[in-house]
Structures are given as structure tokens and as C-alpha cells.
Amino acid sequence: MLTQRAFLSSFATSLLLGLTSAAGNGPSPAYKHFYEFPLPVPPIATPLATYTKSDGSNIDYYEIHIKGFTQQVYPELPPTRLVGYNGISPGPTFHMTFGTEAVVRFINEGNDKPTVTHLHGSITHPPWDGWAEDTIPVGFYKDYYYPNAQRARTLWYHDHAIDHTAENAYFGQAGFYILSDNDEKNSGLPQGKYDIPMALSSKQYETDGQLVSPATQPGVSLFGDIIHVNGQPWPFLNVEPRKYRFRLLDVSVSRAFRLYFVTDLGILEDDTSHHIPFYVVGSDSGRTSKPVQTPDLWISMAERWEIVVDFAPYAGKPIYLKNFYNVQADTPYNNTNQVMKFNVGTTVSDTSNNGPVPAAFAPLPLPPSKDLSKPDHVFNFESKNGAWKINGVTFDDINNRVIARPPRGAVELWKLVNNGGGWSHPIHVHLVDFQVVSRQKGSRGVQTYEAAALQDVVLLGQNEEVYVLARYTPWEGLYMFHCHNLVHEDHAMMAAFNVTSLPNFNYPPNTARFIDPLDPRFISKKYDASVQTLDNAVNVVLPAFANLKAYDNHEGVEDALVTYYQTATSTISDTAPTQSEFNGKGKREAFPTGIPFKA
């Protein structure tokens, strides 16, 4: 006999499943195949060649072809036209090793728009960081040079083209880039088939099964009503009754999530006593200082959080990943509170890395603290006169868009302000890992897992003020920061900061400089398959990159910068740059590089 609680839970589940079969209140055609199709897992990218540098370290070489493809999203509608890396979305997952550099050639073929690739979360020099105007037109290619020189973390690569980022990323240009090191391998966290990347997104479709383009929408947001994981609406995943690690990434254009696990769809967001607790073990910038248990998780656009879920108590049962119905100011629809299903089996095939979650990880490399009452900068993210702006400036305002000039290696405290109650902004700062030290006003403080993490994206919620602290290291040059609601970004809610050079700092001696994001040596080139051959890459391109010594001894550079500030006799201000000012647009004087480049 059913208890009253079991009956009500069963009734609620039936009601919710009924809603999934109905049209609901979403703008897309009704999706009728909840939890029928398995979670796709992107293939692993494999290097085409490896070049050994004079110091014995390696550079791996990859090629990615950006091209159109179709995917059967709705079984009863025509296939959806998409554009992705190697013709899939998410694109191939890169599994990279600390200390092995990479050159990745991105070739724009079959796409009707220019592209740019940004390796999000990497300490990449400006010419390869994905400056929005450093475009790859159709029929062109660009070689990106990546250091792979940070502690283990989940990065991702995605489009960053001026005015078209939302369209390009929304239609498929996004993928995982996972960096590992020895500490990661010995961490005791689930690995191999028990370590699964999951890209969350929310999209909107026309009646013919084609995507509604962000370009056709008002410049506010495109929240979407069809939830995807790795490109599949509401999938299922068969799991063993043991611990799994999930690398969560929000690739949505505009929707943030607040996620929780339950044993029954009828368990709602406010019934926290029946949420399944899990551990947060990693963030944008790698492992947290310790595993943090939580009943739910906020994740906004471009954020990455790594979690460990133990399915052992639920052998033979289903588990559901759900989303809070109301998340900030995002528009909810009937089924945006559901994400995916896990079918828990009854046997475990491998018990490795299935022990207790470690009590702690290595301490975080936190920057020294600063007085909250004296931020180095206050940045207001606002809608003003019908435009999205940062301190009244848009990225189109070329002469004024450089609004911060932190000296190389300096620690700065930035105060991010959102006085709007009708929207939230996930703020991404290129190059650096920052500490979220305070969240004021609004309705929430710093989350427990945020307090144990370093990040490169922070959700600036409705009416919130967030303080972030970072050391602007290791490189100098011009970088971007912006709202990662890609509709806002495409409507120019983006600015730049210029990491300026230091007087009397020259470590290592005669180091080449790569400060210009539009350095003409490294911009895109016309692609000719008969010329840009693998032999050419191995014998010409890779040696040329190796000879740049662009990332040599980066850890020594960072240590030297710390020592510099410990011994500096005067305060260095970011209001007086010591290098020639530029704004990342148009032809400029040749900056001293020390090394020519021909490839």
C-alpha cells in the first residue's frame, strides 16, 4: 500500500512526466523523448605529430576543421543544421598534459561567418588568446600556440568572433580541453570512464527543427526552453553504483543553472532534505582547496565545476539531475527544471579511485589580501541608452575600451557591480585566476564551494556587488574581460585591460614580447591544403614556434614577479602604463619581439 507521501510523490512525478509530453509553455516545438537517448561523449582529439624542442620538451600538433553538419535533435522533424569543430558538437575533447605545449590549427571551412578561437582558462599570450577581432574568415586558418603550463583543470575552447560569438558558439563551436598533471593523477578522484565531461545548454527551435538564431532576437537574452547535455536534449546515462566525477560546463548563450540530484522527479527544489548531497572538487582553475559537500550548485555561462557523485546507495534505481525553476532573472519554462537521468546499475566493474573523497587538496595559490574598502577598480555592468556597457563603454568604442592597466604581476582588487534587477551577468576575465572574496547586496553571499576555489568566471547576480582578487601574471599585453551572456557580449558588453611592463624587470634576459593580440606575424592566413601539409607543419611551423621560446620557464617568471614586488621600493600604479599604449585595432608600430616568425 502506498503511503501518503509516496502517493503524492508518484502523483507529482506523473504530473511532471505529463508536462514533458505536452507542448508546455515553451516557444519550441514540444519535445516528446525525455530520457530516451543516451548521453553522447565527445571523442578524444589526437595529435597528428609531435615535435621535440631543444630542451627535450614536446609540442603536439593538432588540426580542427570548423564545418557544417546536421544532427537529428527532434526525431519527428528535419535534422538541425549546425556548425562545429570537426563537424560535431561539442567538439573533440583535448586531453593535455602539463608541460607539453600544443599548436592547434583551426581551419574555417564551410562556415558562413568568420570565427575566432579562445582557449578559455589558459595563460596564453595575446596573439593566441582569441582577441575578438583576430578573425579567421571562411577559407582561412590560424595556428594557436598553447602553453599547457597550469595546474590540472577543465578548460574549454569556443568561438570569440566579434559580433558573432553568440551565433557561432550556439550553433556548435564549443568543446572541452582538459589539462592533467601528476597531482591530478594521484588525487584519488575518479578517472577514466568514471570522469565524464558534461556541457549543459539551453536552446530554442523553430517549427522545422532549426535553431532560433541569437542574431534574430532582441539584444537581451536567448534563454531557450530545450535543455541539452553534450548536445542531446534530456539524455540518460547508465552508471555503476560507485563514485563518478562530472566536469560540468555551462555552454548556454544566456541560461544559468542551479543544479541538484534527486531520486524522484516529484522532489522539488525547496525539499532540500531529499536532495542527494555531492562534493564539489574542482572549479574553473582546477582543484578546490578541499572537497565541499553541497545539496545544490550554481553554474553560470562559461563556468566549470567538477563534482563527485556517489551512486552506491542507489543501485538499481534511477537518479535525476534537476534545475531550480527560478534562477536569477532567467525566463523559466515548464521543463527547464529537468536536465538528465542516471540509470544506476547493480555491479561495479572497477573499484579504482572509488575510496573516500580526500579530506583536502593542496592549498590554493591565493593572492595576498587587500582592503575591500579600497578596490583598484569599480566596474559597473549596465544597460544604458539601449546598449550593454561596462562603465559606460562598449567594445566598439575603440579609443576608450582599455579601461584597466594593471602592471605585470600586480595584485588588484576589482569590484564588479550590477545595479539591474532584471538580469545577471557572468563575468569572465581573461588570463588570470581570481578569488571571489566577497559578494554583497543581492540575495546570496559567496557560496561555500566558491570560497574554496579560484575562478575565471563569476556570476554577478541581480543587484549584486562582487569583489574579485587576482595577480595579473605571468604575461604582459592586451586582454579582454566581458559578460559571458553571449547576447550581451555580442552587443559590445566587453572591454580590455592592458597588462603593462615593469621598469627594470627583465627575466629571463632578452625575453621576446608577445603583447599585441593582432601581431601580424600570427594572424590568420589563406588555407591551401596542398601547401599547409603535415610535412610543412612538422618541418617548418613547429620549429618556428619552438624558436619563439614564448612559454619557456613560465614558473620562473611568476616567481620572479613575486620577488620583484617584495623588493620594489615604490608603488606602481596602473594609471601610468610603461609600455606604448594600444587598443587592439588597426596597424601599429612594430613592438620589440626579438624574434622574426615565418611559418
Side-chain angles (χ1 to χ4, degrees), residues 66-69 81-84 107-115 136-139 159 161-162 164 167-169 171 173 213 215:
I66 303 168
K67 56 186 179 181
F69 68 102
R81 294 184 295 275
L82 302 170
V83 178
I107 306 161
N108 187 0
E109 56 186 50
N111 185 13
D112 62 350
K113 296 177 182 65
T115 65
I136 310 172
V138 177
D159 184 77
I162 186 76
H164 298 295
E167 294 169 88
N168 287 345
F171 276 80
Q173 290 180 53
S213 173

Side-chain angles (χ1 to χ4, degrees), residues 55-76:
D55 64 1
S57 64
N58 291 331
I59 304 176
D60 284 338
Y61 174 74
Y62 300 81
E63 289 185 1
I64 295 291
H65 297 257
I66 303 168
K67 56 186 179 181
F69 68 102
T70 61
Q71 178 181 335
Q72 194 70 56
V73 176
Y74 284 84
E76 60 277 357

Side-chain angles (χ1 to χ4, degrees), residues 51-55 57-62 96 99-106 117-119 122-130 134 136 141-150 155 177 475 479 512 514 521-523 541-554 595 597 599:
Y51 178 83
T52 301
K53 298 166 62 177
S54 59
D55 64 1
S57 64
N58 291 331
I59 304 176
D60 284 338
Y61 174 74
Y62 300 81
M96 315 303 273
T100 298
E101 297 172 354
V103 170
V104 185
R105 174 168 293 173
F106 286 89
T117 304
H118 170 49
L119 180 53
S122 175
I123 52 169
T124 306
H125 281 297
W128 307 291
D129 185 57
D134 183 22
I136 310 172
Y141 76 98
K142 178 179 169 76
D143 292 331
Y144 289 85
Y145 187 20
Y146 298 137
N148 298 332
Q150 295 153 286
L155 303 93
Y177 191 104
W475 318 123
Y479 292 91
F514 305 94
R521 297 174 300 164
F522 307 116
I523 61 175
V541 175
L542 296 182
F545 276 112
N547 288 336
L548 293 174
K549 302 184 185 302
Y551 299 116
D552 285 8
N553 195 23
H554 94 279
I595 300 177
F597 182 84

Side-chain angles (χ1 to χ4, degrees), residues 177-229:
Y177 191 104
I178 297 172
L179 181 60
S180 65
D181 58 21
N182 288 332
D183 289 343
E184 165 80 7
K185 295 173 184 177
N186 298 323
S187 66
L189 296 175
Q191 298 179 24
K193 66 180 181 179
Y194 305 109
D195 178 0
I196 301 175
M198 292 183 178
L200 312 177
S201 61
S202 183
K203 300 186 179 185
Q204 181 178 329
Y205 290 86
E206 303 280 11
T207 55
D208 62 354
Q210 303 311 308
L211 280 173
V212 172
S213 173
T216 66
Q217 302 301 298
V220 180
S221 290
L222 179 56
F223 293 114
D225 59 324
I226 306 298
I227 304 299
H228 302 63
V229 187

